[in-house]
Amino acid sequence: MNDLAIIGGGPAGYVAAERAGARGLSVVLFEKREMGGVCLNEGCIPTKTLLYSAKVYDYAAHGDKYGISASDVTFDFSRIVARKNRVIKKLVAGVGAKMKAHGVQVVKGEAQIKGRSAGGIEIACNGETFHARNLLLCTGSEAFVPPIPGIREAGDIILTNREILDLKEQPKSLVIIGGGVIGIEFASFYNSLGTEVTVVEMLPEILGGLDGEISAMLREIYAKKGIRFQLSCKVTEIKNNEVTYLTPEGTAASATGEKILVSVGRRAVTEGFGLETLGVELNRGAVKVDSRLRTNIPNVFAAGDITGFSMLAHTASREGEVVVNNLTGRTDVMRYNAIPGVVYTNPEVACAGLTEEAAKKEGIAFRTAKLPMAYAGRFVAENEGGAGLCKVLVGEKYGEVLGVHMLGNPCSEMIYGACMAIEQEMTLKELEEIIFPHPTVSEIFRETVFAFDDK
């Protein structure tokens, strides 16, 4: 009998397995594809590898801004993809090594929950039956493909985040349905390589849920780079390579692409592995959990995208840790008030905590200060002519940090400091007393704190 069985080897599953194994629990982990889940194989890592190649190409092609001239700057699409595959292979092997080091039994195959028995929760896989005292569900999510008329008939012209990563040749033109994080990151990558990109988004702005001002700034930057944005437009039909949509005025228009990426969101995977045998409660298609990631069934937990709450790899990992902490005697709860979000475009976007829009909706009194990234000397030195912004939200009464939103490189590496400030409810006065290294771009956070008129 295992102490813990985990279905799904993504960021929630493998991190939970590692932590549990390190604390002496006997763990069996089932994964039907490759260790690392969507994040490592079809999401976070491969896309960031591609985007970094695009960034290097951008810097090489425009090095004259920094006094560096390079002739005949080219790229090899097949080598970019091959490097992506090497990175994935290396990191997947690393996850496997971690499992072995912590005594986790990894079973490669499609697990099926059979229900409860005298021996605990029963799971079948590859013709063998396993029993566990506790079960952690980490089956993740999958791309949602809406029932747009003609989408099935379009065949391999239609791509999701999985298929687009396996393209052998660069498309000359690409239509992206959906202006969320995944769509915009692929738009950035292919735009850098010279593909004609059109983004069709149903909402009035890209990156819905992020700070509206920063989203608009990023869109304007990429519009100048040649990406065509069709906002507040609803797709009505796909016919071969043509995407037809309704404009805000209600008239029909269309965009044509050699390939069409459908990126309108993801949905939790709750079917196909026998979840119904346990009677686990669902909420809007996702597994319902409490703050300790417990389901309505004793000894059954869920973490990661299957909960449908925050579909981010780092959230999933932390949720897996919360489960293991509670199983090993440490009372722990999951908090979502300081989850960092990053868009790995060039320039990057990073955010944590409340946006102005969310604070207003929730009726929270706040104050805002913002500064251009150019207030940080290091940013000016390394981002010739680059636009950027740092915005900080604090509570009206106590001045505690509620949210931080940034546009500009390398804000993805800075946002953790904002998360710590939000988590610890640090005030403006407390942040003023923290010494930041100079010159760094991170100083913009502290400078924005001093930009509040009345602290």
Side-chain angles (χ1 to χ4, degrees):
M1 166 106 48
N2 291 283
D3 294 315
L4 176 63
I6 303 173
I7 300 179
Y14 77 73
V15 170
E18 179 184 353
R19 301 289 188 265
R23 296 183 189 179
L25 298 186
S26 57
V27 184
V28 57
L29 185 153
F30 303 92
E31 173 53 57
K32 65 181 181 180
R33 292 194 179 96
E34 297 293 335
M35 290 295 293
V38 169
C39 173
L40 186 45
N41 294 280
E42 306 168 7
C44 318
I45 298 302
T47 55
K48 278 51 182 181
T49 306
L50 295 177
L51 284 162
Y52 189 74
S53 290
K55 185 179 288 187
V56 171
Y57 176 68
D58 278 339
Y59 286 144
H62 302 100
D64 58 303
K65 294 191 296 184
Y66 302 91
I68 307 297
S69 296
S71 60
D72 195 28
V73 178
T74 62
F75 64 88
D76 186 326
F77 187 79
S78 63
R79 291 181 64 189
I80 290 174
V81 173
R83 178 177 179 269
K84 177 262 296 182
N85 292 336
R86 289 198 305 272
V87 169
I88 293 172
K89 185 177 180 180
K90 180 178 182 178
L91 294 178
V92 168
V95 173
K98 283 185 177 181
M99 298 301 97
K100 186 176 182 180
H102 291 91
V104 176
Q105 180 185 3
V106 176
V107 180
K108 188 170 183 179
E110 196 160 350
Q112 287 290 322
I113 302 170
K114 296 301 181 181
R116 289 184 181 273
S117 66
I121 300 170
E122 188 173 314
I123 303 167
C125 187
N126 300 337
E128 189 176 353
T129 300
F130 301 81
H131 295 89
R133 295 182 179 86
N134 300 283
L135 172 63
L136 174 56
L137 305 169
C138 303
T139 52
S141 64
E142 60 188 2
F144 171 65
V145 179
I148 301 169
I151 195 169
R152 293 187 182 277
E153 292 76 6
D156 60 6
I157 294 172
I158 303 298
L159 309 171
T160 67
N161 67 293
R162 176 182 294 178
E163 293 84 18
I164 197 169
L165 288 170
D166 290 329
L167 289 180
K168 299 296 187 294
E169 296 181 356
Q170 176 192 355
K172 294 179 180 178
S173 55
L174 177 68
V175 176
I176 300 176
I177 301 175
V181 174
I182 295 172
I184 295 303
E185 287 186 346
F186 277 115
S188 170
F189 172 70
Y190 280 104
N191 170 257
S192 291
L193 300 189
T195 296
E196 293 182 4
V197 179
T198 302
V199 177
V200 183
E201 169 57 51
M202 189 166 62
L203 296 176
E205 188 54 87
I206 62 170
L207 303 175
L210 272 64
D211 178 86
E213 182 177 9
I214 283 180
S215 295
M217 287 180 65
L218 183 69
R219 173 176 51 77
E220 290 168 2
I221 289 170
Y222 272 100
K224 290 178 181 177
K225 292 182 178 183
I227 295 180
R228 292 185 290 270
F229 293 95
Q230 305 298 338
L231 304 179
S232 298
C233 294
K234 181 180 180 180
V235 174
T236 57
E237 184 184 17
I238 295 175
K239 189 173 183 179
N240 298 322
N241 298 85
E242 186 177 22
V243 177
T244 301
Y245 55 89
L246 288 178
T247 68
E249 294 75 28
T251 59
S254 64
T256 302
E258 186 177 319
K259 294 290 184 180
I260 300 169
L261 172 63
V262 179
S263 179
V264 296
R266 302 183 64 81
R267 60 183 176 189
V269 175
T270 58
E271 299 178 352
F273 56 96
L275 183 61
E276 65 279 358
T277 63
L278 297 176
V280 171
E281 184 180 356
L282 301 182
N283 178 33
R284 299 179 66 180
V287 171
K288 185 178 180 180
V289 294
D290 65 10
S291 61
R292 297 185 188 180
L293 287 307
R294 299 175 296 192
T295 70
N296 62 308
I297 304 300
N299 305 103
V300 179
F301 304 80
D305 289 6
I306 191 175
T307 67
F309 190 74
S310 172
M311 292 189 174
L312 296 169
H314 41 277
T315 305
S317 296
R318 171 61 184 146
E319 288 173 336
E321 291 174 342
V322 169
V323 171
V324 174
N325 287 341
N326 282 288
L327 286 177
T328 54
R330 173 184 160 188
T331 300
D332 196 4
V333 296
M334 186 66 197
R335 297 181 298 277
Y336 297 94
N337 61 310
I339 302 293
V342 179
V343 188
Y344 293 86
T345 44
N346 187 16
E348 298 174 343
V349 171
C351 57
L354 288 174
T355 63
E356 291 180 306
E357 295 86 352
K360 290 175 183 177
K361 186 175 181 180
E362 295 179 27
I364 297 173
F366 68 93
R367 291 181 291 144
T368 303
K370 56 187 178 182
L371 284 178
M373 279 286 186
Y375 272 69
R378 177 78 175 270
F379 180 83
V380 176
E382 296 184 352
N383 295 272
E384 179 67 28
L389 183 71
C390 180
K391 179 185 291 188
V392 178
L393 277 68
V394 299
E396 178 69 48
K397 185 174 181 180
Y398 300 109
E400 77 280 16
V401 180
L402 299 176
V404 178
H405 309 276
M406 301 178 182
L407 169 69
N409 298 332
C411 61
S412 64
E413 297 292 345
M414 295 155 45
I415 198 63
Y416 76 91
C419 295
M420 294 173 67
I422 295 168
E423 188 69 49
Q424 297 299 316
E425 297 182 333
M426 293 183 70
T427 64
L428 295 174
K429 184 177 184 300
E430 289 170 330
L431 279 170
E432 285 180 5
E433 297 172 1
I434 302 296
I435 299 174
F436 283 56
H438 176 78
T440 61
V441 183
S442 66
E443 288 177 285
I444 192 64
F445 184 22
R446 189 168 183 267
E447 288 300 317
T448 307
V449 166
F450 278 94
F452 280 90
D453 295 330
D454 180 15
K455 295 182 283 294

